[in-house]
Amino acid sequence: MNHSGVHARLRSRHGDQRGGAAVMMMLLLLGLVVILGLVEVGYLFWTKRDVQKTADLAALAGAQRLEQCTTDYRDNLAARRNALTDNAFSGTLAIDCGYWGAELPADARFVAITASRPLNAVRVTASRQAIPFLGQLGAMPVISATAVARRTPPQAAFSVGSRLLNVNSNTPLQGLLRLVGIDLNQTQIGSYQGLAKVKITPRGLLEALGVHVKAHINAGELNSLLAANQISVGQLLDLMATAANEQGVLGVGVGLLKQELARVGLRDVMVQLGSTATSNGLFANIVGGSQAASGALDLDLNALELIGTSISIANSRHAVEVPQLNLLGLVQAKASVVEPASIAIGPVGTTAYNSQVRLFLDIDSKRIPALGAVLDWLGTRIRLPTYIDVIDGFGRLEAINCNAQPATATVDVTSAIANICVGKASTPWDSTRELCRTGLADEQLITLFGGNVLTKKIALDALSQRDQLVLSEGQTGTVKPNDLQVGTLVSKLVNELLGTLGALFAPQGNNSEAAKQLATQYLEATKVNGFYNPAKVVDALQNGHDAAANQLDLPALGNWTTEIPGCKNIVLVCIPTKEQGNVWEGFKRETGISDSSLVGGLLDVLGITACDGLITGLLRYNDCVRDSLAKYLQTKPGGLSGSGGYNPATGGGSCSSVLCVLIKPVIEQVLRPLLDAVGKLLSVILSDVLGLQLGRTDVHMQSIQCGRGQLVE
């Protein structure tokens, strides 16, 4: 047996085992080194997070208390106290106060304050030496982190002219629904009354539409983003119903309202979220920079007011008849929302408008029974197309007091009953909010004997009042109506319209032609077998004439004395003379054969002095009678038109001219009472018809957000 070979193999095997153990040991040591490295990396990462948290919290604390910045803006006591005391930070701090703006370059948005860049932010840089491992004091790095926080300005969300929280049949929302043809009873209203308790933010509304908002959006970008996105009225109702369910508001049902909106064609109308210079959205334009936009996105909004505003916008350019203002058919009235309401969101300087409703009153003498027929027979028409912007409410956020308990906001409110005008709408009357200033042309207001007498336009200055309301969150304030201004405006409107009729009594350009037209009207109504009949027309002129078959009553002009033809007989010869006598006797003498003298009778028979004569009777009898009557009509005291003794606006003055006698009953018996009734309706019935009160504006403060710290870097 070869023992030496065996021992050799054994030594070789033991050597291999000793080599394998060394490899295993080396791998084990390598693993331990890796583990220690991972622990160190994890520790450094944790340290970085801890230092960053310290910087973040300190910056937020400093932004909340900007008044604790030092005079050199190189420190902020609130930020330092938060880091050292509240969070026991043992490192070093570098703190600066300044201005942060999203409009600045991305790598230099925190800058020193200037006159145009006020103090609004705090920057904190926190540094700390990492705790050494295994005595490696110099090998561990210094961990640093920087945070910038800004304080957003105080902001508020409010609406002007809305009392939608008081859900009943007399509120503006119910008036608006009636205006579009929806009239819900109290039980049906209750199905969506709970929406008054539901809140949603503009950010939440955008997220529900799948729209992402970047962190550093400024006001201009946010206005553009809102204006570029739309939502249908039906979608908004569904969204609010979902929000009600999520917020635990029970008993909210929008199905019936959606059904009614679909019936009148408004459920699927798209409404843009933001407003532009040419179109209205749910929200008015947001003023301010990036901090205004960021804060506005998180303001709480009232769901019911959002719905009412969306219906107002969807209903624009939709005019409906208003039966309560039609005055027995004498005046046709329509109403339309010409400027939808908007909701204001943003800082001081933000504005919002009330929903502005325009009335169109078509006052036309053709609709006046009996007297209207007389005017038509005279070739006379009085048409006064009147446009009235019922309410023009405007609110501007003037101040926010965050020191008050609770915080309050001051809104400067201007309420106006504006833009009352008469004329021809050169643009669609229901689609512009500045009709009287930019969209009105002259209208033919008065026609006399078939000819234009007055073409013009009338505009009355707005009567406005200004007031301030100081409101806390959830409150609604009301500017009281100014009864004196409303009464003054109504009086001015009636006087202006009646004064316009004075043109009827102004001397016309050619009275002889007008007199011929008037004479023709009477003669045509009383002619017999195609011929004018002086006897019948005189009876009508003296006493009035009832032509029942034509459903026409001719007014009486009465009698007066004037120069008429006479005859002085000298030995069987008639010498024509002029003498004072009854006007109609003179007319008869000129139109009939009445002279018994040899010469005078011969002249009458020959048709030289009488319309009944042979020559005139054969050739131009009717024209002769008309010309004669026209001549005598102009002899009435005051003439055909008169010199203005009668004043239609006041009803005072004498009335002697032909036109005054004919038209005064129309003014006094019909037009004056009619216009007075229009004035009373404007100040009394509108609150029931449209849910609006003249000269009154309401402001609902939906939410107030005092300045809050916001991390921006």
Side-chain angles (χ1 to χ4, degrees):
M1 177 177 290
N2 188 349
H3 294 284
S4 60
V6 173
H7 291 305
R9 286 194 298 273
L10 289 173
R11 286 194 302 271
S12 175
R13 188 176 298 125
H14 290 311
D16 291 342
Q17 290 175 349
R18 286 195 298 270
V23 171
M24 291 296 295
M25 183 61 68
M26 183 179 66
L27 291 174
L28 178 60
L29 291 174
L30 181 60
L32 290 173
V33 171
V34 171
I35 291 172
L36 288 174
L38 290 175
V39 170
E40 183 172 311
V41 170
Y43 164 72
L44 293 176
F45 180 76
W46 174 84
T47 303
K48 175 70 173 177
R49 288 286 303 274
D50 186 59
V51 173
Q52 184 67 61
K53 183 185 73 171
T54 298
D56 291 346
L57 294 175
L60 284 170
Q64 287 286 81
R65 301 295 302 274
L66 290 175
E67 72 278 4
Q68 292 197 15
C69 287
T70 56
T71 56
D72 61 356
Y73 302 108
R74 302 296 296 174
D75 202 353
N76 179 283
L77 301 182
R80 184 168 295 279
R81 186 183 307 111
N82 177 272
L84 299 180
T85 303
D86 298 342
N87 290 291
F89 185 68
S90 58
T92 60
L93 295 171
I95 302 174
D96 295 290
C97 297
Y99 171 83
W100 186 96
E103 72 278 7
L104 299 176
D107 57 346
R109 285 179 171 156
F110 183 87
V111 295
I113 65 171
T114 63
S116 60
R117 294 170 177 172
L119 175 65
N120 74 343
V122 171
R123 180 176 62 190
V124 175
T125 299
S127 302
R128 191 180 73 189
Q129 174 72 52
I131 298 174
F133 276 97
L134 303 177
Q136 299 178 7
L137 182 58
M140 299 300 289
V142 174
I143 306 298
S144 296
T146 299
V148 179
R150 65 171 177 178
R151 184 167 69 185
T152 61
Q155 309 215 26
F158 66 95
S159 55
V160 175
S162 175
R163 284 172 289 150
L164 302 180
L165 295 182
N166 301 324
V167 184
N168 58 61
S169 59
N170 292 322
T171 59
L173 179 57
Q174 297 312 112
L176 178 62
L177 291 177
R178 286 197 297 270
L179 191 60
V180 302
I182 300 174
D183 199 355
L184 303 179
N185 59 41
Q186 291 294 323
T187 301
Q188 294 167 335
I189 292 168
S191 65
Y192 63 88
Q193 186 173 6
L195 287 174
K197 302 176 182 178
V198 177
K199 303 292 184 182
I200 190 169
T201 65
R203 188 188 301 275
L205 190 57
L206 287 168
E207 289 175 351
L209 295 175
V211 178
H212 173 69
V213 183
K214 67 179 184 180
H216 303 320
I217 191 169
N218 61 39
E221 292 171 332
L222 181 55
N223 284 326
S224 298
L225 179 66
L226 290 170
N229 285 277
Q230 296 182 326
I231 187 171
S232 73
V233 178
Q235 283 179 301
L236 186 61
L237 278 168
D238 289 337
L239 182 60
M240 297 310 170
T242 301
N245 183 58
E246 293 174 349
Q247 295 174 29
V249 179
L250 303 177
V252 172
V254 298
L256 177 62
L257 185 55
K258 282 182 63 179
Q259 178 181 332
E260 288 296 305
L261 288 170
R263 181 178 60 81
V264 297
L266 295 180
R267 183 191 62 188
D268 298 322
V269 174
M270 301 301 293
V271 174
Q272 67 188 47
L273 300 184
S275 299
T276 66
T278 58
S279 58
N280 295 91
L282 284 175
F283 307 117
N285 271 328
I286 301 167
V287 300
S290 59
Q291 48 190 340
S294 178
L297 280 168
D298 296 314
L299 285 166
D300 286 332
L301 303 173
N302 181 276
L304 191 59
E305 297 209 24
L306 279 172
I307 291 171
T309 303
S310 70
I311 294 174
S312 173
I313 296 170
N315 184 57
S316 59
R317 302 192 182 187
H318 176 79
V320 297
E321 295 283 347
V322 184
Q324 293 92 329
L325 292 175
N326 282 351
L327 295 179
L328 302 177
L330 303 182
V331 175
Q332 286 189 348
K334 291 184 178 181
S336 179
V337 175
V338 294
E339 183 181 358
S342 59
I343 296 175
I345 51 173
V348 169
T350 298
T351 60
Y353 287 91
N354 180 26
S355 180
Q356 181 173 311
V357 177
R358 177 170 297 141
L359 289 179
F360 170 47
L361 305 179
D362 191 7
I363 303 170
D364 195 337
S365 63
K366 282 185 173 292
R367 299 194 187 93
I368 303 174
L371 288 175
V374 172
L375 289 176
D376 191 48
W377 166 75
L378 291 172
T380 300
R381 182 184 184 187
I382 303 169
R383 183 166 185 263
L384 303 171
T386 305
Y387 305 93
I388 304 173
D389 288 340
V390 178
I391 285 184
D392 183 11
F394 172 82
R396 183 181 189 275
L397 185 61
E398 289 294 318
I400 297 176
N401 183 2
C402 290
N403 294 323
Q405 294 297 326
T408 60
T410 301
V411 180
D412 189 89
V413 183
T414 301
S415 303
I417 308 160
N419 300 338
I420 296 186
C421 53
V422 179
K424 178 186 292 183
S426 57
T427 58
W429 74 271
D430 56 348
S431 63
T432 174
R433 61 180 178 232
E434 294 184 349
L435 175 68
C436 293
R437 290 189 291 270
T438 62
L440 197 71
D442 289 340
E443 174 68 285
Q444 185 170 316
L445 304 180
I446 302 178
T447 303
L448 181 62
F449 300 129
N452 178 27
V453 174
L454 180 65
T455 296
K456 66 177 294 187
K457 60 183 177 181
I458 302 169
L460 297 181
D461 294 334
L463 295 177
S464 64
Q465 62 182 22
R466 187 172 178 179
D467 203 350
Q468 282 194 338
L469 296 173
V470 180
L471 306 170
S472 58
E473 185 171 298
Q475 283 188 328
T476 297
T478 300
V479 175
K480 297 296 179 62
N482 189 319
D483 295 332
L484 176 61
Q485 287 192 335
V486 172
T488 301
L489 182 68
V490 170
S491 176
K492 286 179 64 177
L493 172 63
V494 173
N495 289 340
E496 189 73 28
L497 294 178
L498 286 171
T500 300
L501 302 180
L504 287 170
F505 311 112
Q508 305 302 311
N510 190 335
N511 275 344
S512 61
E513 285 301 317
K516 284 183 181 181
Q517 294 176 21
L518 179 60
T520 301
Q521 304 290 355
Y522 274 89
L523 290 166
E524 285 290 328
T526 56
K527 67 182 179 181
V528 177
N529 297 324
F531 290 96
Y532 293 157
N533 190 306
K536 285 186 174 293
V537 78
V538 165
D539 181 61
L541 290 164
Q542 284 181 314
N543 308 307
H545 178 69
D546 181 13
N550 297 325
Q551 296 182 341
L552 182 65
D553 294 324
L554 303 184
L557 294 181
N559 295 286
W560 63 91
T561 300
T562 187
E563 283 190 340
I564 64 173
C567 183
K568 185 176 183 180
N569 292 306
I570 302 178
V571 189
L572 300 179
V573 175
C574 175
I575 299 176
T577 62
K578 292 289 185 179
E579 61 186 32
Q580 292 294 311
N582 182 277
V583 61
W584 307 127
E585 179 63 28
F587 169 63
K588 289 178 180 179
R589 289 181 182 182
E590 283 197 6
T591 56
I593 299 174
S594 57
D595 195 341
S596 59
S597 69
L598 178 62
V599 176
L602 180 60
L603 293 175
D604 283 349
V605 171
L606 291 177
I608 296 174
T609 56
C611 297
D612 275 348
L614 179 62
I615 297 175
T616 306
L618 289 175
L619 298 179
R620 51 181 306 273
Y621 171 76
N622 280 0
D623 289 345
C624 178
V625 173
R626 181 203 62 199
D627 293 344
S628 178
L629 180 57
K631 181 181 69 174
Y632 280 101
L633 286 174
Q634 295 180 75
T635 66
K636 183 171 176 58
L640 187 71
S641 303
S643 57
Y646 170 67
N647 185 341
T650 63
S654 61
C655 184
S656 58
S657 69
V658 174
L659 291 181
C660 188
V661 171
L662 293 175
I663 297 175
K664 182 180 178 181
V666 178
I667 296 173
E668 296 298 330
Q669 298 173 28
V670 179
L671 284 179
R672 186 184 299 281
L674 178 65
L675 294 176
D676 286 340
V678 168
K680 292 178 182 178
L681 283 169
L682 290 178
S683 57
V684 177
I685 295 182
L686 284 180
S687 60
D688 295 330
V689 176
L690 302 175
L692 300 170
Q693 289 184 300
L694 292 180
R696 176 172 178 166
T697 299
D698 303 305
V699 177
H700 176 220
M701 189 59 57
Q702 299 190 32
S703 62
I704 297 174
Q705 181 189 88
C706 287
R708 58 186 179 86
Q710 179 187 42
L711 283 173
V712 290
E713 288 184 11

